[in-house]
Amino acid sequence: ANNFEGQTNKIFCGPTSAAIVLNALRVRNSKLQLPQDQTLLQSRDRKYLPGGGKWSPYYERYTQNNVFIKSPKSRSSVLGKPARDKRGKILKNKKGKPVKDFGFQIRQFAALLEGHGLNVKLRVATDKLDNNMIKKEFIANLKTKGDYIIANYKRAVLKQPGGGHISPIGAYHKDSDSFLVLDVTPNKADWVWVDSELFISAMKTFDTKENRGYVLVKEGKI
């Protein structure tokens, strides 16, 4: 919760969730030098800063912008830049329109976190994945310090407006058998407790190429 932030645009639920977990794991870790996001201030603002421009006003932390420095999927592709084949030709669908792949699918998102050196366990939520196993895995993760869950689910199943979404999971409540979803879109939904079976069904929905799912994340080898 100390590192929570809302997404800055309607597409960046993935980069936002990645930044939250990376900061939760690494901020104040003296062994690591974290990136500074120099896009947060414009050059005309920096001329007023002390030290003749030598003093840095930036914190060393991950942002929705600089998580892309280790991303296998480019920022422009996430924002809808048309895909191209190996020859550089724009790919088109059956209707003749350019193929676009907005945001992050769960496998792409796992690759983003792995690019930053994290230990990532990917779970594609197919019907073959047992619900009880998923719930036990969630609970075990939430009980373990330094372990995090980020889920990819379909909002409509939760009766929320919008399509596919990515957010971290914050807690489990035994009496109501529900998970706390730390929704990264405060303009659209609050943090919310969701029945475990309902949430699992929201992950067991089809995305662009396969079902959605979740990633279990902890620090890798530093």
Side-chain angles (χ1 to χ4, degrees):
N2 287 340
N3 291 286
F4 181 85
E5 59 184 85
Q7 61 190 86
T8 57
N9 62 62
K10 295 178 180 179
I11 299 176
F12 273 16
C13 57
T16 306
S17 298
I20 291 169
V21 169
L22 280 162
N23 286 326
L25 286 167
R26 292 180 171 177
V27 164
R28 302 183 193 177
N29 186 336
S30 59
K31 295 180 181 179
L32 295 171
Q33 183 173 355
L34 305 188
Q36 295 181 347
D37 187 350
Q38 298 190 13
T39 67
L40 297 177
L41 287 175
Q42 298 183 23
S43 57
R44 65 171 180 264
D45 298 324
R46 293 197 292 268
K47 67 181 181 181
Y48 302 112
L49 298 173
K54 295 181 180 180
W55 177 78
S56 174
Y58 307 103
Y59 287 113
E60 291 186 357
R61 64 184 293 113
Y62 296 93
T63 71
Q64 298 169 44
N65 295 317
N66 66 24
V67 292
F68 282 98
I69 60 177
K70 298 288 181 70
S71 174
K73 186 174 183 180
S74 70
R75 178 189 177 94
S76 57
S77 295
V78 169
L79 291 169
K81 182 180 179 180
R84 295 177 180 270
D85 61 21
K86 294 180 180 180
R87 296 173 295 175
K89 187 177 180 180
I90 293 178
L91 296 174
K92 295 185 178 181
N93 59 24
K94 294 180 180 179
K95 295 182 179 180
K97 294 183 178 181
V99 174
K100 297 183 179 182
D101 183 22
F102 292 101
F104 281 92
Q105 298 166 44
I106 190 61
R107 198 174 294 275
Q108 296 168 340
F109 184 67
L112 165 65
L113 297 171
E114 289 171 342
H116 284 279
L118 297 182
N119 184 313
V120 181
K121 184 180 290 185
L122 168 66
R123 296 293 194 208
V124 178
T126 66
D127 290 334
K128 294 180 180 180
L129 203 60
D130 181 70
N131 285 14
N132 287 328
M133 188 278 287
I134 294 174
K135 187 164 76 169
K136 287 180 181 179
E137 199 164 47
F138 268 45
I139 293 170
N141 179 285
L142 291 165
K143 285 182 176 180
T144 307
K145 184 178 180 180
D147 281 14
Y148 296 91
I149 307 167
I150 304 175
N152 180 204
Y153 58 98
K154 191 172 183 178
R155 281 191 179 278
V157 178
L158 308 186
K159 297 188 176 0
Q160 295 177 346
H165 192 47
I166 296 175
S167 283
I169 305 301
Y172 174 71
H173 184 245
K174 184 177 180 180
D175 290 347
S176 63
D177 188 24
S178 57
F179 293 108
L180 178 62
V181 182
L182 308 184
D183 198 309
V184 296
T185 317
N187 290 56
K188 185 171 291 187
D190 297 327
W191 291 10
V192 61
W193 290 98
V194 181
D195 174 82
S196 66
E197 291 294 322
L198 181 63
F199 191 70
I200 291 170
S201 65
M203 292 189 293
K204 287 188 173 183
T205 52
F206 188 75
D207 199 354
T208 308
K209 293 183 178 180
E210 60 185 340
N211 275 19
R212 296 176 172 86
Y214 58 97
V215 288
L216 305 171
V217 187
K218 59 184 178 181
E219 185 57 86
K221 295 181 180 179
I222 298 175

